[in-house]
Amino acid sequence: MFGARCLLRALRSCSSAPCPRHKPTAKLSVRDALGAQNASGELVKVQAFPFKYKERHPLEYLRQYPHLRCRTNVLGSILRVRSEATAAIHSFFKDSGFVHIHTPVITSNDCEGAGELFQVEPSSKIKVPEENFFNVPVFLTVSGQLHLEVMSGAFTQVFTFGPTFRAENSQSRRHLAEFYMVEAEISFLESLQDLMQVMEGLFKTTTMTVLSNCPEDVELCHKFIAPGQKDRLEHMLKNNFLIISYTEAVEILKQASQNFTFTPEWGADLHTEHEKYLVKHCGDIPVFVINYPLALKPFYMRDNEDSPQHTVAAVDLLVPGVGELFGGSLREERYHFLEQQLARSGLTEAYQWYLDLRRFGSVPHGGFGMGFERYLQCILGIDNIKDVIPFPRFTHSCLL
């Protein structure tokens, strides 16, 4: 019988090193199969391992075994890339002079205003039903942006990298109930151009670091999961990202020969099919779409004062195969403009503290957020977002 401790030591010695550039020369052999005994000492048949040796299983099949799929080559490579990308993102912000802020997971704010929130309550019911544990309703965060804005008034450049939650009733390839967001806020920022430079720099620097430190893991994904992704990624990295306005984007979509499920029109949001078409139209180069209608965006985005269109200084970065990857904007630093927008949204009372950030001194500033899982999908060519996170959570599924 091969001892469990010996097996673990052998496995650890040849698989624990993160993103090896060259595989260490190690050979692992098993003398006997692991068995189990009942109380009488008789051998009991062990259930067969669900993954067959040297057989390439579809990612959909591996998803059924979240406690075992990390032992496969493909998930091992994806998760090592995930680890390296995490470190590269932190290095980018540290080298750029950003301060890392731990924003709260539990919050009383709804940053996006979409209402897709998980409410947090104690498991043991409070005796007085009218009372809340925190005295106010609280939720799992959908974004750390508003808390970062607080900190940007003290530290100029700040970022956070942590879990966010959306109670979105979707099982699509693009959505999770729990996912990770990279968010940054920058003070003394007066143009979208400056903000887009940081976004493009983050994408390219992180990706080049991953390609340098995890070549074998990235190659495995590109070879067996997404043939051709290597060339597409190199094409993205060697070209400057393009910039078009929302108005230009709508005109491109209207002139398209493709039939869309959602008819493009000015004032309507861009859907995934629109985003992917725009990227293809731009030669499969990531494209920034800027200056969206005010009615489509949250209250904190800066008014462009461009009547009659009435747009805000917002920006989305669209990338091949995924669609929207980044979303950002200049923030409304002008007290009276913000006050009017909060009043129109019926949020004045709830966001007095946010008005205080302007009332007691503010500067032009802006920020963005990047979905980390979508970033991994983009660079690796993984079709389903559930395959780039260790334990995916989505509607009707929370295994483990």
Side-chain angles (χ1 to χ4, degrees):
M1 189 76 72
F2 193 32
R5 290 184 181 177
C6 294
L7 178 61
L8 284 172
R9 279 198 298 270
L11 287 171
R12 195 175 291 123
S13 69
C14 58
S15 67
S16 61
C19 299
R21 293 172 186 254
H22 303 286
K23 289 183 179 178
T25 55
K27 188 176 181 181
L28 176 66
S29 61
V30 179
R31 292 196 299 269
D32 198 358
L34 197 63
Q37 296 179 340
N38 59 20
S40 305
E42 300 172 337
L43 287 176
V44 179
K45 187 176 180 180
V46 179
Q47 184 179 355
F49 191 64
F51 308 142
K52 293 181 181 179
Y53 180 59
K54 287 190 176 180
E55 182 171 325
R56 199 178 305 152
H57 297 85
L59 293 173
E60 292 82 2
Y61 175 76
L62 299 181
R63 216 176 293 143
Q64 301 174 68
Y65 305 95
H67 58 305
L68 297 174
R69 68 175 186 163
C70 57
R71 302 184 187 188
T72 63
N73 287 338
V74 64
L75 260 294
S77 288
I78 291 171
L79 295 179
R80 278 191 293 270
V81 169
R82 183 184 176 100
S83 174
E84 189 64 38
T86 300
I89 288 167
H90 279 273
S91 293
F92 171 84
F93 283 118
K94 183 178 180 180
D95 294 344
S96 302
F98 283 70
V99 175
H100 184 201
I101 303 295
H102 293 124
T103 55
V105 171
I106 297 175
T107 179
S108 57
N109 298 316
D110 178 7
C111 177
E112 299 297 323
E116 297 164 343
L117 303 169
F118 288 104
Q119 188 161 354
V120 178
E121 295 179 350
S123 57
S124 56
K125 296 296 181 182
I126 298 175
K127 293 181 181 179
V128 183
E130 292 81 12
E131 293 183 3
N132 290 297
F133 184 88
F134 293 99
N135 292 334
V136 294
V138 297
F139 313 93
L140 295 179
T141 184
V142 297
S143 171
Q145 180 212 312
L146 298 184
H147 298 95
L148 281 183
E149 281 200 65
V150 172
M151 294 295 167
S152 70
F155 298 106
T156 308
Q157 297 186 117
V158 292
F159 83 100
T160 191
F161 188 170
T164 52
F165 306 85
R166 302 277 171 92
E168 194 167 5
N169 188 17
S170 172
Q171 293 194 25
S172 78
R173 298 172 182 270
R174 288 165 43 89
H175 294 98
L176 290 167
E178 178 186 22
F179 55 97
Y180 279 70
M181 284 283 287
V182 180
E183 298 177 276
E185 287 291 321
I186 307 167
S187 293
F188 305 103
L189 193 75
E190 299 193 53
S191 73
L192 281 179
Q193 186 66 46
D194 293 338
L195 185 63
M196 290 185 287
Q197 285 180 2
V198 180
M199 295 161 73
E200 183 171 349
L202 172 61
F203 180 91
K204 289 184 173 179
T205 302
T206 300
T207 303
M208 289 187 288
T209 300
V210 169
L211 292 175
S212 174
N213 293 348
C214 287
E216 294 179 354
D217 291 312
V218 173
E219 183 184 5
L220 184 146
C221 294
H222 289 174
K223 182 177 180 180
F224 295 110
I225 299 175
Q229 183 64 19
K230 179 181 178 181
D231 293 336
R232 289 190 289 270
L233 190 57
E234 289 177 352
H235 183 62
M236 285 187 264
L237 292 175
K238 74 180 182 181
N239 286 287
N240 293 326
F241 293 178
L242 304 178
I243 304 171
I244 61 174
S245 70
Y246 168 86
T247 301
E248 290 171 326
V250 171
E251 287 304 312
I252 291 170
L253 295 169
K254 283 183 175 180
Q255 294 171 18
S257 57
Q258 178 176 328
N259 292 321
F260 297 109
T261 303
F262 298 94
T263 303
E265 57 182 339
W266 203 97
D269 212 347
L270 299 180
H271 294 268
T272 303
E273 59 178 348
H274 303 145
E275 295 167 351
K276 290 184 176 180
Y277 179 86
L278 289 170
V279 174
K280 283 191 175 297
H281 176 83
C282 294
D284 281 325
I285 297 172
V287 55
F288 290 108
V289 180
I290 64 173
N291 298 331
Y292 282 77
L294 178 143
L296 293 180
K297 295 298 182 179
F299 63 88
Y300 49 76
M301 296 193 175
R302 197 178 200 277
D303 193 330
N304 282 329
E305 299 182 83
D306 56 349
S307 295
Q309 286 189 325
H310 208 176
T311 64
V312 291
V315 55
D316 288 340
L317 177 63
L318 313 182
V319 296
V322 173
E324 182 189 346
L325 177 60
F326 284 78
S329 75
L330 300 183
R331 314 311 190 193
E332 185 57 84
E333 86 283 3
R334 298 165 295 183
Y335 180 87
H336 295 295
F337 278 85
L338 182 59
E339 187 179 41
Q340 292 170 10
Q341 186 60 19
L342 285 170
R344 281 194 291 266
S345 306
L347 298 171
T348 301
E349 184 177 351
Y351 285 89
Q352 280 298 313
W353 67 268
Y354 194 68
L355 281 170
D356 281 350
L357 299 180
R358 278 67 176 171
R359 183 183 291 117
F360 300 119
S362 183
V363 298
H365 61 287
F368 62 83
M370 178 187 80
F372 184 51
E373 282 73 26
R374 288 190 182 182
Y375 167 75
L376 294 173
Q377 283 185 277
C378 175
I379 66 169
L380 296 178
I382 306 295
D383 189 44
N384 197 310
I385 197 170
K386 301 174 185 67
D387 298 319
V388 294
I389 190 168
F391 302 102
R393 273 78 173 95
F394 51 97
T395 180
H396 307 306
S397 179
C398 187
L399 300 177
L400 299 189

